[in-house]
Amino acid sequence: MIKVLVCDDQALIRTGFATIIDAQPDLEVVAECADGRAAVDLAGSLRPDVVVMDVRMPVLDGIEATRLLAGAGVAQPVKVLVVTTFNLDEYVYEALRAGASGFLLKDAPPAQLLHGIRTVATGAALLDPEVTRRLVGQYAARIRPAASGEVALAPRELEVLRLIADGLSNSEIAAALVLSQETVKTYVSRILTKLDLRDRVQAVVYAYRTGLVR
């Protein structure tokens, strides 16, 4: 059973998410809340597997809440799935940097929300391939790039990293580079290990922060 905490300041959306999630035999909503501070407190006591997190909320916004739940240095990080709308694009990049395991749009169909929760719960990252470049690329340019340094990646690994940052799935990368999916998985694993990154989300942020993708 995957335990889920739903955090959104809009009661209608919060209830809708909870109803969809609770209808699944393998998912259980352990709590709902309307602000980031409550999410942090509840996550500490209930230890959910996934927090479905809104971005713009009172008391403590979703970005800061995500940083407290899943950011660098957190002893027992909780997986966070951020939900957003197009008019909140500028916040998504910071949410991913804060430690979110992925994001979805609020108008995504129920099946996509459920898939996202299950994906994030397994430890995988979830990036909506249709909007990754729009959401991350458009606003990464506003962030001061990280200090440039020697990137310890082989040319093919850099190619794969750029395609990850473009929002391509493993199967799409395999088709683009004429490789098997297993080979792509191996490259992705090497990239994460070499750069000491947790998942594909952090790889996307790294690619933009270091100027590998503009």
Side-chain angles (χ1 to χ4, degrees), residues 81-82 84 86 92 96 101-109 112-113 115-116 125-136 164-169 172 200-201 204:
L81 176 62
V82 171
T84 185
F86 276 118
V92 174
L96 297 180
S101 291
F103 68 85
L104 286 173
L105 300 179
K106 279 191 176 178
D107 60 358
Q112 196 169 343
L113 171 66
H115 170 71
L126 183 80
L127 293 171
D128 187 325
E130 295 181 6
V131 295
T132 295
R133 190 171 184 85
R134 169 187 166 89
L135 291 176
V136 180
I164 291 173
D166 278 339
L168 273 65
S169 66
E172 290 168 333
R200 293 170 75 99
V201 174
V204 171

Side-chain angles (χ1 to χ4, degrees), residues 19 34 37-38 84 138 143 149 155 213:
T19 301
R37 171 52 58 190
T84 185
Q138 183 176 353
I143 310 299
V213 177

Side-chain angles (χ1 to χ4, degrees), residues 35-51:
D35 66 77
R37 171 52 58 190
V40 172
D41 292 342
L42 286 168
S45 61
L46 299 174
R47 301 304 303 169
D49 298 301
V50 177
V51 177

